[in-house]
């Protein structure tokens, strides 16, 4: 069912745009590409479909899936359903990296996602290093993440205030967006998200064991610290890749795993793969809304996910109170 919803969302997003390609002709075009047949579209229409719409749909699926599966993994490691992929400073590091590029090299468009990627990994790495020096508990890692995120955000704010003319571009990036022409961003992130998603899926059984407790996991021959390091490393790498091309899109890593647990249970062997598919579907639909609600203008996709996430948490609180 999750895969069917993803396919339907992707196909509807391919149809969305100023140029009306028609669902029948789009289906014929896809079939022609698969079988080597004759395309029913003109060269201009084919370019719109394959170099504007299709890369955006795939990018939305990659970013949404990466954020959702990373959020589920973080929640498993910290045993906290409110943990999200930005917990260890990935968002703050990416924001600082992007800000520095916008200020110092505004014409280097290719450098912005690379700087955000490096900044996200740097933030997580700094949090991990601080936690290892102060004590190797999960609580220490969480506090280190909060401290690093606060520090990097302060540095970013200082850089912005010293270069006020760049604030609009920085905030536009931070609110999230999937503006892409061609397949460059997809090819940039696909290897990282694919490998890390496979690693997280392979760790699903270990996360189920960790949910019982460290002592029980150790009695079964599992090393909890090593599992946490592997899971957090993979989830942080996936988050960094997603943030580098999509900006700071919030709530995906919290809302989607919650919905999956409500519908399919708490086992990470189910939660992780369904979060990947659900996150992809969620962000494709959110992107469709962002493109149409103020058409021809476009809302930042982070605004749409925030509008979705806030009422969802109110609903969860109400359900817990009712129980």
């Amino acid at each position: 069912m999750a895969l069917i919803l993803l396919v339907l969302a992707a196909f509807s997003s391919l149809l969305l745009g100023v140029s009306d390609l028609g669902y029948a002709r789009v289906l014929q075009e896809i079939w022609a590409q698969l079988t080597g047949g004759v395309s029913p579209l003109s060269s201009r229409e084919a370019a719109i479909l394959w170099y504007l719409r299709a890369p955006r749909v795939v990018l939305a699926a990659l970013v949404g899936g990466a954020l959702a599966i990373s959020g589920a993994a973080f929640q498993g490691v910290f045993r906290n359903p409110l943990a999200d992929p930005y917990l260890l400073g990935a968002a703050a590091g990416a924001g600082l990296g992007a800000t520095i590029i916008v200020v110092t090299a505004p014409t280097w468009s290719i450098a912005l996602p690379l700087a955000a990627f490096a900044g996200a990994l740097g933030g997580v790495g700094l949090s991990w290093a601080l936690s290892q020096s102060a004590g190797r508990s999960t609580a220490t890692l969480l506090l280190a993440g909060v401290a690093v995120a606060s520090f990097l955000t302060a540095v970013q704010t200082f850089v912005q205030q010293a270069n006020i003319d760049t604030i609009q571009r920085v905030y536009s990036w931070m609110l999230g967006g999937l503006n892409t022409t061609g397949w460059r961003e997809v090819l940039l992130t696909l290897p990282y998200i694919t490998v890390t998603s496979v690693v997280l899926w392979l760790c699903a059984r270990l996360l189920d064991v960790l949910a019982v407790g460290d002592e029980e996991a150790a009695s079964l021959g599992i090393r909890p610290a090593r599992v946490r390091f592997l899971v957090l490393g993979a989830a942080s790498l996936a988050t960094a890749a997603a943030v580098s091309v999509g900006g700071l899109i919030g709530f995906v890593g919290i809302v989607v795993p919650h919905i999956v647990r409500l519908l399919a249970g708490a086992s990470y062997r189910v939660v992780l793969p369904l979060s990947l598919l659900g996150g992809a579907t969620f962000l494709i639909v959110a992107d469709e809304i962002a493109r149409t609600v103020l058409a021809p203008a476009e809302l930042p996709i982070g605004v749409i996910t925030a509008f979705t996430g806030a009422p969802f948490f109110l609903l969860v609180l109400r359900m817990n109170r009712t129980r």
Side-chain angles (χ1 to χ4, degrees), residues 148-201:
V148 168
S150 299
F151 174 75
L152 294 179
T153 301
V155 175
Q156 179 190 350
T157 303
F158 173 78
V159 174
Q160 285 179 330
Q161 292 302 314
N163 300 271
I164 298 179
D165 56 319
T166 65
I167 287 181
Q168 182 177 0
R169 186 180 175 193
V170 171
Y171 273 104
S172 296
W173 179 86
M174 291 177 64
L175 287 173
L178 297 170
N179 297 316
T180 178
T181 54
W183 295 90
R184 185 187 69 184
E185 289 82 1
V186 172
L187 296 176
L188 184 68
T189 57
L190 181 61
Y192 298 102
I193 293 176
T194 301
V195 172
T196 52
S197 297
V198 171
V199 170
L200 292 175
W201 180 69

Side-chain angles (χ1 to χ4, degrees), residues 125-279:
L126 185 57
S127 298
W128 183 267
L130 286 176
S131 70
Q132 295 300 294
S133 64
R136 301 186 176 185
S137 67
T138 304
T140 303
L141 179 59
L142 183 60
L143 291 174
V146 173
V148 168
S150 299
F151 174 75
L152 294 179
T153 301
V155 175
Q156 179 190 350
T157 303
F158 173 78
V159 174
Q160 285 179 330
Q161 292 302 314
N163 300 271
I164 298 179
D165 56 319
T166 65
I167 287 181
Q168 182 177 0
R169 186 180 175 193
V170 171
Y171 273 104
S172 296
W173 179 86
M174 291 177 64
L175 287 173
L178 297 170
N179 297 316
T180 178
T181 54
W183 295 90
R184 185 187 69 184
E185 289 82 1
V186 172
L187 296 176
L188 184 68
T189 57
L190 181 61
Y192 298 102
I193 293 176
T194 301
V195 172
T196 52
S197 297
V198 171
V199 170
L200 292 175
W201 180 69
L202 293 175
C203 291
R205 185 184 65 85
L206 300 177
L207 287 175
D208 282 335
V209 177
L210 286 184
V212 180
D214 286 3
E215 293 182 1
E216 289 78 2
S219 67
L220 295 174
I222 296 173
R223 298 183 179 182
R226 183 171 295 181
V227 173
R228 289 194 181 94
F229 177 79
L230 178 61
V231 171
L232 289 178
S236 298
L237 185 58
T239 301
V243 168
S244 68
V245 295
L248 306 183
I249 302 172
F251 289 99
V252 180
I254 300 180
V255 170
V256 174
H258 264 288
I259 294 175
V260 170
R261 287 191 186 92
L262 289 173
L263 297 177
S267 172
Y268 283 95
R269 284 172 287 184
V270 175
V271 170
L272 290 179
L274 287 184
S275 293
L276 181 68
L277 296 175

Side-chain angles (χ1 to χ4, degrees), residues 280-303:
T281 304
F282 177 79
L283 206 62
I284 289 174
V285 174
D287 185 49
E288 291 181 18
I289 297 173
R291 291 157 58 189
T292 56
V293 68
L294 291 179
E298 184 176 317
L299 275 177
I301 194 171
V303 174

Side-chain angles (χ1 to χ4, degrees), residues 1-14 57 281 284:
M1 178 60 73
L3 187 58
I4 293 174
L5 291 176
L6 174 58
V7 171
L8 292 177
F11 182 70
S12 65
S13 188
L14 288 177
V57 171
T281 304
I284 289 174

Side-chain angles (χ1 to χ4, degrees), residues 30 35 60 85 99 124 143 169 264 308:
I30 295 173
T35 61
T99 301
V124 174
L143 291 174
R169 186 180 175 193
T308 305

